Amino acid sequence: MQKSIINQIFTRFLKQNPNPTTELKFNSNFELLIAVMLSAQATDISVNLATDKLYKIANTPQQILDLGLNKLNNYIKSIGLHNTKAQNIIKTCQILLNNYNSEIPNTLQELIKLPGVGRKTANVILNTAFNKPTIAVDTHIFRVSKRIGLSNGKNVTQVEQDLLKIIPAKFKLNAHHWLILHGRYTCKARIPNCNNCIIADLCDFNKLSLVQK
Ligand code: SF4
């Protein structure tokens, strides 16, 4: 895709939403980390409902450890894979307490060593908590990037590398959230809403659909 088109796409996202951010609710880096860990294969709405209650009782590594595995599991039982997630959260809290003075580390290498924290979660933390221009490729970003024509990568790592290469520096910090929100509300998985899309004239998928009509 031409540089000028990529520039136009992100200029429109910027104009539509100058300060995009996550829809997960949090008041500290620790709360964000736990929310992102819980959000794997779950909706942000379901995570927010659970953390709203949990964080009133426990929102530090020590408090989560004091709560214990069973009670933690009870708070997050409405979220998919909650048993595994609860176990990982307890192990992660122990490491944060022992090795990081209860702070959240700010490098990919350190974050991905925490139980239950993969590359995608780590990139979300680096981007949202530490303002680093990372792009965590989730199911929305993977689909949207390919439809628009930003990448034809075969897996999330290839798409992440393509996006980091082609998105102009000035848009990189917010690109992650613009693409997720676009995928969540407009370029939906089953039926993309091309008639109400602000980048329809720039999108490869839409151009192809028009040719085939
Ligand atoms: S034109 Fe359609 S396929 Fe392209 S980004 Fe917009 S909604 Fe998605």
Side-chain angles (χ1 to χ4, degrees), residues 130-187:
F130 298 109
N131 287 327
K132 298 199 181 188
T134 55
I135 298 180
V137 179
D138 71 347
T139 175
H140 293 301
I141 297 191
F142 187 74
R143 176 184 72 254
V144 166
S145 301
K146 292 175 67 114
R147 278 186 185 156
I148 297 172
L150 296 170
S151 169
N152 58 12
K154 301 275 178 287
N155 54 51
V156 290
T157 310
Q158 284 177 9
V159 171
E160 180 187 333
Q161 283 164 356
D162 285 345
L163 294 176
L164 287 173
K165 214 183 303 165
I166 61 164
I167 295 175
K170 62 182 172 180
F171 298 122
K172 233 176 244 176
L173 179 63
N174 288 326
H176 165 79
H177 289 122
W178 282 323
L179 291 171
I180 284 187
L181 293 170
H182 191 64
R184 201 173 276 171
Y185 296 111
T186 306
C187 193

Side-chain angles (χ1 to χ4, degrees), residues 144 147-148 182 186-188 192-194 197 199-200 203 205-206:
V144 166
R147 278 186 185 156
I148 297 172
H182 191 64
T186 306
C187 193
K188 296 178 188 179
N193 188 0
C194 303
C197 175
I199 57 166
C203 167
F205 179 90
N206 191 44

